[in-house]
PDB file of all heavy atoms in Angstrom:
ATOM      1  N   ARG A 486      25.334 -11.531  17.890  1.00 82.00           N
ATOM      2  CA  ARG A 486      24.890 -12.881  17.942  1.00 82.00           C
ATOM      3  C   ARG A 486      24.795 -13.369  19.332  1.00 82.00           C
ATOM      4  O   ARG A 486      25.265 -12.643  20.298  1.00 82.00           O
ATOM      5  CB  ARG A 486      25.901 -13.832  17.277  1.00 82.00           C
ATOM      6  CG  ARG A 486      26.028 -13.518  15.746  1.00 82.00           C
ATOM      7  CD  ARG A 486      27.033 -14.559  15.166  1.00 82.00           C
ATOM      8  NE  ARG A 486      27.474 -14.256  13.803  1.00 82.00           N
ATOM      9  CZ  ARG A 486      26.923 -14.749  12.744  1.00 82.00           C
ATOM     10  NH1 ARG A 486      25.857 -15.523  12.921  1.00 82.00           N
ATOM     11  NH2 ARG A 486      27.417 -14.452  11.565  1.00 82.00           N
ATOM     12  N   ASN A 487      24.094 -14.442  19.544  1.00 83.00           N
ATOM     13  CA  ASN A 487      24.137 -15.252  20.875  1.00 83.00           C
ATOM     14  C   ASN A 487      23.651 -14.251  22.078  1.00 83.00           C
ATOM     15  O   ASN A 487      24.270 -14.180  23.096  1.00 83.00           O
ATOM     16  CB  ASN A 487      25.378 -15.741  21.137  1.00 83.00           C
ATOM     17  CG  ASN A 487      25.845 -16.729  20.132  1.00 83.00           C
ATOM     18  OD1 ASN A 487      25.054 -17.323  19.567  1.00 83.00           O
ATOM     19  ND2 ASN A 487      27.205 -16.992  20.057  1.00 83.00           N
ATOM     20  N   ILE A 488      22.503 -13.502  21.839  1.00 86.00           N
ATOM     21  CA  ILE A 488      21.991 -12.598  22.815  1.00 86.00           C
ATOM     22  C   ILE A 488      20.931 -13.412  23.677  1.00 86.00           C
ATOM     23  O   ILE A 488      19.905 -13.910  23.157  1.00 86.00           O
ATOM     24  CB  ILE A 488      21.273 -11.452  22.114  1.00 86.00           C
ATOM     25  CG1 ILE A 488      22.263 -10.746  21.217  1.00 86.00           C
ATOM     26  CG2 ILE A 488      20.700 -10.494  23.221  1.00 86.00           C
ATOM     27  CD1 ILE A 488      21.598  -9.630  20.366  1.00 86.00           C
ATOM     28  N   PRO A 489      21.220 -13.584  25.005  1.00 87.00           N
ATOM     29  CA  PRO A 489      20.286 -14.273  25.855  1.00 87.00           C
ATOM     30  C   PRO A 489      18.926 -13.438  25.930  1.00 87.00           C
ATOM     31  O   PRO A 489      18.964 -12.247  26.198  1.00 87.00           O
ATOM     32  CB  PRO A 489      20.977 -14.281  27.180  1.00 87.00           C
ATOM     33  CG  PRO A 489      22.376 -14.013  26.947  1.00 87.00           C
ATOM     34  CD  PRO A 489      22.467 -13.137  25.736  1.00 87.00           C
ATOM     35  N   PHE A 490      17.862 -14.082  25.740  1.00 90.00           N
ATOM     36  CA  PHE A 490      16.510 -13.392  25.903  1.00 90.00           C
ATOM     37  C   PHE A 490      15.429 -14.456  26.067  1.00 90.00           C
ATOM     38  O   PHE A 490      15.187 -15.247  25.432  1.00 90.00           O
ATOM     39  CB  PHE A 490      16.347 -12.660  24.455  1.00 90.00           C
ATOM     40  CG  PHE A 490      15.400 -11.580  24.707  1.00 90.00           C
ATOM     41  CD1 PHE A 490      15.923 -10.266  25.027  1.00 90.00           C
ATOM     42  CD2 PHE A 490      14.061 -11.559  24.311  1.00 90.00           C
ATOM     43  CE1 PHE A 490      15.076  -9.155  25.128  1.00 90.00           C
ATOM     44  CE2 PHE A 490      13.218 -10.407  24.398  1.00 90.00           C
ATOM     45  CZ  PHE A 490      13.759  -9.180  24.750  1.00 90.00           C
ATOM     46  N   ASP A 491      14.772 -14.347  27.361  1.00 89.00           N
ATOM     47  CA  ASP A 491      13.874 -15.332  27.653  1.00 89.00           C
ATOM     48  C   ASP A 491      12.414 -14.746  27.613  1.00 89.00           C
ATOM     49  O   ASP A 491      12.300 -13.681  27.220  1.00 89.00           O
ATOM     50  CB  ASP A 491      14.159 -15.946  29.021  1.00 89.00           C
ATOM     51  CG  ASP A 491      14.313 -14.855  30.104  1.00 89.00           C
ATOM     52  OD1 ASP A 491      13.671 -13.854  29.968  1.00 89.00           O
ATOM     53  OD2 ASP A 491      14.939 -15.106  31.211  1.00 89.00           O
ATOM     54  N   THR A 492      11.515 -15.525  28.211  1.00 91.00           N
ATOM     55  CA  THR A 492      10.105 -15.251  28.106  1.00 91.00           C
ATOM     56  C   THR A 492       9.812 -13.954  28.869  1.00 91.00           C
ATOM     57  O   THR A 492       9.036 -13.110  28.436  1.00 91.00           O
ATOM     58  CB  THR A 492       9.208 -16.308  28.605  1.00 91.00           C
ATOM     59  OG1 THR A 492       9.534 -17.510  27.844  1.00 91.00           O
ATOM     60  CG2 THR A 492       7.703 -16.030  28.408  1.00 91.00           C
ATOM     61  N   VAL A 493      10.243 -13.867  30.076  1.00 93.00           N
ATOM     62  CA  VAL A 493      10.102 -12.574  30.972  1.00 93.00           C
ATOM     63  C   VAL A 493      10.567 -11.384  30.242  1.00 93.00           C
ATOM     64  O   VAL A 493       9.859 -10.338  30.178  1.00 93.00           O
ATOM     65  CB  VAL A 493      10.797 -12.735  32.260  1.00 93.00           C
ATOM     66  CG1 VAL A 493      10.588 -11.600  33.128  1.00 93.00           C
ATOM     67  CG2 VAL A 493      10.159 -14.035  33.033  1.00 93.00           C
ATOM     68  N   GLN A 494      11.734 -11.435  29.669  1.00 94.00           N
ATOM     69  CA  GLN A 494      12.269 -10.236  28.874  1.00 94.00           C
ATOM     70  C   GLN A 494      11.393  -9.961  27.621  1.00 94.00           C
ATOM     71  O   GLN A 494      11.334  -8.863  27.278  1.00 94.00           O
ATOM     72  CB  GLN A 494      13.753 -10.520  28.405  1.00 94.00           C
ATOM     73  CG  GLN A 494      14.703 -10.622  29.658  1.00 94.00           C
ATOM     74  CD  GLN A 494      16.146 -11.155  29.150  1.00 94.00           C
ATOM     75  OE1 GLN A 494      16.212 -12.321  28.737  1.00 94.00           O
ATOM     76  NE2 GLN A 494      17.128 -10.211  29.269  1.00 94.00           N
ATOM     77  N   LEU A 495      10.837 -10.991  27.062  1.00 94.00           N
ATOM     78  CA  LEU A 495       9.972 -10.803  25.860  1.00 94.00           C
ATOM     79  C   LEU A 495       8.754  -9.949  26.263  1.00 94.00           C
ATOM     80  O   LEU A 495       8.434  -8.834  25.654  1.00 94.00           O
ATOM     81  CB  LEU A 495       9.527 -12.116  25.298  1.00 94.00           C
ATOM     82  CG  LEU A 495       8.514 -12.067  24.231  1.00 94.00           C
ATOM     83  CD1 LEU A 495       9.096 -11.498  22.976  1.00 94.00           C
ATOM     84  CD2 LEU A 495       7.917 -13.532  24.092  1.00 94.00           C
ATOM     85  N   PHE A 496       8.050 -10.298  27.429  1.00 94.00           N
ATOM     86  CA  PHE A 496       6.858  -9.611  27.789  1.00 94.00           C
ATOM     87  C   PHE A 496       7.226  -8.185  28.354  1.00 94.00           C
ATOM     88  O   PHE A 496       6.449  -7.224  28.142  1.00 94.00           O
ATOM     89  CB  PHE A 496       6.096 -10.439  28.854  1.00 94.00           C
ATOM     90  CG  PHE A 496       5.279 -11.474  28.229  1.00 94.00           C
ATOM     91  CD1 PHE A 496       5.808 -12.898  28.434  1.00 94.00           C
ATOM     92  CD2 PHE A 496       4.202 -11.277  27.516  1.00 94.00           C
ATOM     93  CE1 PHE A 496       5.027 -13.968  27.770  1.00 94.00           C
ATOM     94  CE2 PHE A 496       3.419 -12.344  26.997  1.00 94.00           C
ATOM     95  CZ  PHE A 496       3.905 -13.610  27.090  1.00 94.00           C
ATOM     96  N   LEU A 497       8.376  -8.006  29.110  1.00 95.00           N
ATOM     97  CA  LEU A 497       8.788  -6.822  29.519  1.00 95.00           C
ATOM     98  C   LEU A 497       9.115  -5.862  28.405  1.00 95.00           C
ATOM     99  O   LEU A 497       8.780  -4.690  28.538  1.00 95.00           O
ATOM    100  CB  LEU A 497       9.941  -6.894  30.616  1.00 95.00           C
ATOM    101  CG  LEU A 497       9.568  -7.463  31.938  1.00 95.00           C
ATOM    102  CD1 LEU A 497      10.897  -7.712  32.778  1.00 95.00           C
ATOM    103  CD2 LEU A 497       8.654  -6.623  32.646  1.00 95.00           C
ATOM    104  N   SER A 498       9.781  -6.340  27.424  1.00 95.00           N
ATOM    105  CA  SER A 498      10.086  -5.551  26.277  1.00 95.00           C
ATOM    106  C   SER A 498       8.912  -4.854  25.503  1.00 95.00           C
ATOM    107  O   SER A 498       8.873  -3.737  25.226  1.00 95.00           O
ATOM    108  CB  SER A 498      11.002  -6.366  25.204  1.00 95.00           C
ATOM    109  OG  SER A 498      12.089  -6.756  25.756  1.00 95.00           O
TER     110      SER A 498
END
Side-chain angles (χ1 to χ4, degrees):
R486 303 177 187 267
N487 301 333
I488 303 173
F490 207 80
D491 57 25
T492 306
V493 175
Q494 290 171 296
L495 174 69
F496 284 105
L497 287 176
S498 297

